[in-house]
């Protein structure tokens, strides 16, 4: 596997397939008959494909969810990206039919969604702290907006005001999502179900990606046509990932950047420490303090880099900061060459 820190992708690459309106309608009907949502069916299909690809069955998937909390009576009238993340452990059991796997996945999803006041970002940060890693903890993402319009009492949009009609060919994928290696998306458009793989191609073997996406499409088609629900998917015997298993980007070794502990060593480190203190409102007395484990998040990190740009000789790039978000690391990235 290529180390993510050794590549500089500009945008993620994509693979897309659409289930035609007849098959999509049949799939929705089959989901109702089996007591699961279409989103859960696709999540289950993805978990089966992912387990086969990875060679083990214990996985942790990142999922993007709506996060519009009822903190104000007029919050529903506010326009904005009210989303949050949720880390979802998936462990498909061998010997179960797909319908049984989907039922178990829906139960697990409901249980974890009940704790959505603690976001996946917070959980990932704590996992990273306990594992002693600065790498992404859950770089594989599943996202579904299936049924979102219906849940909000609206049909699928067919008009976009002055922009005209919404047509299935009038969009492109353009993702630049930090700390995501692979994202599977499911959404509706023009009475069709759209399945998408978005990924950093340099991290994967092309033949494996093509095979995994073909499996996902085949499984979705079999669910629409009917026989897939009673089939027993073939799954790996191995539960936990072997030490050298693929798709474990968060388990790659650290970059080896180690700094001796102690107070800030020079004016650059002192400037970084003061910026940490200003944004995090905590004392920063050691040059090895990690911005994220000290309470920082991605929004604060952007503010930090803007602040450091005015105080350090060189601009600290996002990439360099994420690779070593310590006082010493940020100072090293911002010193003169």
């Amino acid at each position: 596997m290529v180390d993510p820190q050794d590549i500089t992708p500009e945008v993620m690459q994509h693979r897309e397939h659409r289930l035609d309106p007849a098959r999509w309608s049949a799939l929705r009907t089959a989901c109702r008959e089996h007591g699961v949502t279409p989103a859960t069916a696709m999540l289950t299909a993805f978990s089966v494909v992912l387990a086969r690809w990875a060679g083990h069955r214990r996985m942790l998937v990142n999922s993007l969810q709506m996060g519009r909390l009822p903190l104000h009576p007029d919050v529903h009238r506010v326009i904005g990206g009210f989303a949050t993340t949720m880390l979802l452990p998936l462990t498909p059991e061998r010997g179960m039919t797909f319908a049984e796997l989907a039922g178990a996945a829906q139960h697990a999803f409901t249980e974890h969604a009940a704790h959505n006041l603690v976001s996946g970002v917070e959980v990932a940060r704590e996992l990273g702290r306990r594992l002693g890693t600065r790498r992404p903890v859950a770089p594989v993402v599943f996202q579904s907006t299936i049924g979102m319009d219906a849940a909000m009492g609206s049909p699928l949009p067919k008009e976009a005001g002055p922009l005209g009609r919404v047509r299935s060919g009038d969009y492109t994928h353009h993702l630049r999502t930090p700390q995501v290696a692979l994202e599977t998306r499911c959404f509706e458009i023009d009475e069709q179900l759209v399945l998408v793989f978005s990924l950093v191609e340099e991290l994967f073997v092309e033949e494996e990606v093509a095979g995994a996406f073909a499996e996902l499409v085949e499984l979705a088609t079999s669910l629409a046509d009917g026989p897939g629900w009673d089939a027993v998917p073939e799954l790996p015997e191995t539960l936990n990932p072997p030490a050298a298993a693929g798709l474990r980007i968060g388990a790659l070794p650290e970059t080896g950047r180690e700094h001796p502990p102690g107070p800030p060593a020079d004016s650059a480190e002192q400037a970084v420490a003061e910026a940490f203190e200003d944004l995090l409102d905590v004392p920063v007395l050691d040059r090895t303090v990690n911005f994220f484990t000290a309470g920082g998040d991605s929004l604060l990190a952007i503010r930090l880099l803007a602040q450091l740009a005015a105080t350090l000789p060189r601009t600290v790039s996002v990439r360099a900061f994420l690779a070593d978000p310590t006082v010493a690391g940020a100072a090293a990235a911002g010193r003169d060459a």
Side-chain angles (χ1 to χ4, degrees):
M1 173 179 286
V2 177
D3 192 314
Q5 300 207 39
D6 294 335
I7 59 174
T8 55
E10 294 185 3
V11 295
M12 301 175 80
Q13 302 301 312
H14 313 281
R15 284 157 181 78
E16 177 185 307
H17 179 82
R18 303 183 187 186
L19 284 187
D20 59 67
R23 274 205 167 104
W24 175 217
S25 176
L27 178 56
R28 293 198 305 269
T29 299
C31 287
R32 286 195 297 270
E33 292 172 351
H34 288 89
V36 298
T37 66
T40 298
M42 291 301 96
L43 172 63
T44 307
F46 180 53
S47 73
V48 170
V49 171
L50 193 60
R52 292 172 179 169
W53 189 359
H56 60 84
R57 291 181 288 112
R58 191 184 298 280
M59 300 167 289
L60 183 64
V61 171
N62 212 329
S63 178
L64 189 65
Q65 304 294 321
M66 289 294 292
R68 189 189 294 256
L69 299 176
L71 301 178
H72 188 278
D74 291 330
V75 70
H76 64 285
R77 305 176 68 178
V78 178
I79 298 174
F82 293 90
T84 186
T85 58
M86 180 175 73
L87 296 189
L88 185 63
L90 299 173
T91 312
E93 295 292 336
R94 286 166 50 86
M96 297 176 68
T97 66
F98 185 90
E100 292 170 334
L101 289 174
Q106 182 148 307
H107 176 78
F109 183 90
T110 302
E111 180 181 351
H112 285 82
H115 303 283
N116 64 347
L117 292 180
V118 180
S119 72
V121 172
E122 295 172 276
V123 177
R125 187 182 300 148
E126 177 62 18
L127 280 175
R129 187 188 68 79
R130 295 190 182 194
L131 295 173
T133 180
R134 294 191 293 268
R135 292 185 180 272
V137 171
V140 177
V141 176
F142 177 84
Q143 181 183 165
S144 170
T145 58
I146 300 173
M148 186 174 295
D149 294 283
M152 294 187 294
S154 304
L156 285 174
K158 297 184 181 297
E159 302 286 342
L163 299 179
R165 287 183 57 81
V166 177
R167 301 181 186 276
S168 60
D170 292 345
Y171 71 90
T172 59
H173 304 281
H174 189 89
L175 271 69
R176 301 182 64 174
T177 309
Q179 301 188 336
V180 172
L182 170 67
E183 176 175 300
T184 295
R185 297 196 306 285
C186 310
F187 58 93
E188 300 170 88
I189 194 166
D190 262 8
E191 308 299 332
Q192 301 172 91
L193 174 64
V194 186
L195 303 175
V196 180
F197 264 13
S198 295
L199 68 153
V200 179
E201 282 198 323
E202 293 89 340
L203 296 178
F204 301 97
V205 177
E206 164 64 25
E207 293 76 11
E208 293 182 0
V209 173
F213 190 63
E215 281 190 32
L216 181 65
V217 170
E218 181 181 3
L219 189 46
T221 302
S222 72
L223 295 175
D225 294 344
W229 293 93
D230 295 325
V232 177
E234 182 179 345
L235 291 165
E237 292 186 11
T238 304
L239 176 62
N240 295 308
L247 295 183
R248 298 193 65 215
I249 297 169
L252 287 171
E254 289 299 304
T255 58
R257 293 181 176 89
E258 296 292 340
H259 306 288
D266 57 22
S267 60
E269 291 188 7
Q270 185 60 45
V272 174
E274 290 174 358
F276 276 29
E277 291 181 344
D278 180 49
L279 291 172
L280 303 179
D281 196 26
V282 295
V284 177
L285 306 177
D286 194 290
R287 61 198 301 267
T288 63
V289 169
N290 184 296
F291 183 78
F292 296 106
T293 55
D297 56 31
S298 57
L299 295 178
L300 288 175
I302 297 301
R303 291 174 56 189
L304 172 75
L305 296 182
Q307 188 169 325
L308 293 181
T311 58
L312 297 179
R314 296 176 61 194
T315 299
V316 181
S317 70
V318 174
R319 184 182 182 85
F321 181 67
L322 291 178
D324 190 0
T326 62
V327 171
R335 290 193 184 96
D336 283 323

